[in-house]
Amino acid sequence: MRLSKYTAILLFSIGLNPCWSGKLEKGFEALRIYDYFKAKQLFEKNLKNHISGASYGLSEIYSRPDNPFYNIDTAYIYILKSADAYTGSSEKEKKLLSQLKVSAQSIIELKERIHKKAFDIYKQKNTLEAYNFFIWFYSSAEQVKDAVRLRNQLAFTIASALDTYKAYKDFMNEYPEAVQIKEAKDLYEERLFTELT
């Protein structure tokens, strides 16, 4: 009877001891203390067995600018993997993820933070290429509408700087839904008329 009591205490203490915890848990512990190299290594080793949790951890690492792995596009790829894998996870896996503070809600929240950071990055670049990439790559982001508006405004500014009928025609062909389309059409007709006469 005494032995079973000690055995129970031993088993209980082993369960609480972090050195006995799995690699995924160790990855989150390393992430918590900002040991990004160790966390990244542990999450990468867990991508097969714990896709959602490991992808979530990698997304956290890549989305934080305070480490050498910072890459917002890579962070986005991993959060999409995490979200996709989470929906197909078993209840046992979801229970483990819940203990690590990974849930459907935390995945959505991280995804939204990534959208916001990515939009800020591409908006700062302020090029047609940057806006087009953001619109395509982050297609589910709520900031896509703003990106489209800013891209169209920039494209119209470029066409206006060239101020030729061809520039306005190209703008109309490329961005038929732009709010500047009527103004572009009027300017196109004016410039075309001037050119022909």
Side-chain angles (χ1 to χ4, degrees):
M1 186 73 170
R2 255 174 116 77
L3 185 61
S4 64
K5 182 180 176 184
Y6 289 122
T7 305
I9 292 169
L10 177 66
L11 290 172
F12 181 73
S13 66
I14 287 170
L16 292 178
N17 189 340
C19 73
W20 289 91
S21 61
K23 287 178 187 171
L24 187 63
E25 292 92 328
K26 286 180 182 177
F28 278 97
E29 179 55 29
L31 183 61
R32 190 183 67 76
I33 60 170
Y34 307 103
D35 186 349
Y36 294 117
F37 287 91
K38 184 178 180 183
K40 182 175 179 285
Q41 185 181 38
L42 288 165
F43 290 137
E44 285 172 345
K45 284 181 180 176
N46 271 274
L47 275 172
K48 259 188 181 173
N49 299 327
H50 301 285
I51 301 170
S52 184
S55 295
Y56 182 91
L58 286 167
S59 183
E60 274 281 7
I61 292 169
Y62 284 108
S63 70
R64 295 182 184 181
D66 64 344
N67 73 83
F69 307 112
Y70 178 60
N71 184 311
I72 205 67
D73 297 336
T74 304
Y76 189 57
I77 290 167
Y78 277 113
I79 201 60
L80 291 178
K81 278 186 181 181
S82 179
D84 189 47
Y86 187 85
T87 56
S89 294
S90 66
E91 286 308 310
K92 184 182 174 185
E93 183 72 10
K94 284 181 181 175
K95 191 175 178 184
L96 167 67
L97 292 172
S98 176
Q99 291 168 358
L100 299 169
K101 309 251 188 304
V102 177
S103 64
Q105 186 58 38
S106 69
I107 290 169
I108 289 167
E109 287 169 4
L110 179 54
K111 187 178 174 185
E112 286 173 355
R113 286 198 309 273
I114 290 167
H115 283 163
K116 187 180 181 310
K117 283 182 184 179
F119 181 61
D120 290 343
I121 289 167
Y122 287 102
K123 186 170 126 179
Q124 200 169 18
K125 290 182 181 182
N126 197 36
T127 65
L128 295 177
E129 294 76 21
Y131 287 125
N132 282 330
F133 180 80
F134 179 84
I135 292 160
W136 168 74
F137 194 70
Y138 297 92
S139 58
S140 67
E142 67 177 50
Q143 294 86 353
V144 164
K145 283 182 182 177
D146 289 333
V148 168
R149 181 180 52 77
L150 290 168
R151 183 219 37 209
N152 293 352
Q153 180 59 56
L154 178 61
F156 185 69
T157 302
I158 292 167
S160 299
L162 294 169
D163 201 29
T164 64
Y165 78 90
K166 187 183 182 315
Y168 293 118
K169 185 179 181 184
D170 290 344
F171 173 81
M172 290 186 295
N173 289 340
E174 193 70 32
Y175 311 106
E177 303 299 318
V179 294
Q180 300 86 355
I181 205 76
K182 187 187 181 310
E183 192 178 350
K185 189 179 178 190
D186 291 344
L187 289 164
Y188 162 76
E189 287 171 356
E190 278 179 29
R191 299 303 171 268
L192 183 60
F193 178 77
T194 305
E195 185 90 7
L196 292 173
T197 56

Coordinates of all heavy atoms in Angstrom, one line a residue, residues 89-97:
S89 N -8.1 18.5 -36.1 CA -7.4 17.9 -35.0 C -8.4 17.1 -34.1 O -9.6 17.4 -34.0 CB -6.8 19.0 -34.1 OG -5.8 19.6 -34.8
S90 N -7.9 16.0 -33.5 CA -8.7 15.2 -32.6 C -9.0 16.0 -31.3 O -8.3 17.0 -31.0 CB -7.9 13.9 -32.2 OG -6.8 14.3 -31.5
E91 N -9.9 15.5 -30.5 CA -10.3 16.2 -29.2 C -9.1 16.1 -28.3 O -8.8 17.1 -27.5 CB -11.5 15.5 -28.6 CG -12.8 15.9 -29.3 CD -13.0 17.4 -29.4 OE1 -12.8 18.2 -28.4 OE2 -13.3 17.9 -30.6
K92 N -8.3 15.0 -28.3 CA -7.1 14.9 -27.5 C -6.1 15.9 -27.8 O -5.5 16.6 -27.0 CB -6.6 13.5 -27.7 CG -5.4 13.2 -26.8 CD -4.8 11.8 -27.1 CE -3.6 11.5 -26.3 NZ -2.9 10.2 -26.6
E93 N -5.9 16.1 -29.1 CA -4.9 17.2 -29.6 C -5.4 18.6 -29.2 O -4.6 19.4 -28.8 CB -4.8 17.0 -31.1 CG -3.8 18.0 -31.7 CD -2.3 17.6 -31.4 OE1 -2.0 16.6 -30.9 OE2 -1.4 18.5 -31.7
K94 N -6.7 18.8 -29.4 CA -7.2 20.1 -29.0 C -7.1 20.4 -27.5 O -6.9 21.6 -27.1 CB -8.7 20.3 -29.5 CG -8.8 20.5 -31.0 CD -10.3 20.6 -31.4 CE -10.4 20.8 -32.9 NZ -11.8 20.8 -33.4
K95 N -7.2 19.4 -26.7 CA -7.0 19.5 -25.3 C -5.6 19.9 -25.0 O -5.3 20.8 -24.2 CB -7.4 18.2 -24.6 CG -7.5 18.3 -23.1 CD -8.0 17.1 -22.4 CE -8.1 17.2 -20.9 NZ -8.4 16.0 -20.2
L96 N -4.6 19.2 -25.6 CA -3.2 19.6 -25.4 C -3.0 21.0 -25.9 O -2.3 21.8 -25.2 CB -2.3 18.6 -26.2 CG -0.9 19.0 -26.4 CD1 -0.1 19.0 -25.1 CD2 -0.1 18.1 -27.4
L97 N -3.5 21.4 -27.1 CA -3.3 22.7 -27.6 C -3.9 23.8 -26.6 O -3.4 24.9 -26.4 CB -3.9 22.9 -29.0 CG -3.2 22.1 -30.1 CD1 -4.1 22.1 -31.4 CD2 -1.8 22.6 -30.3

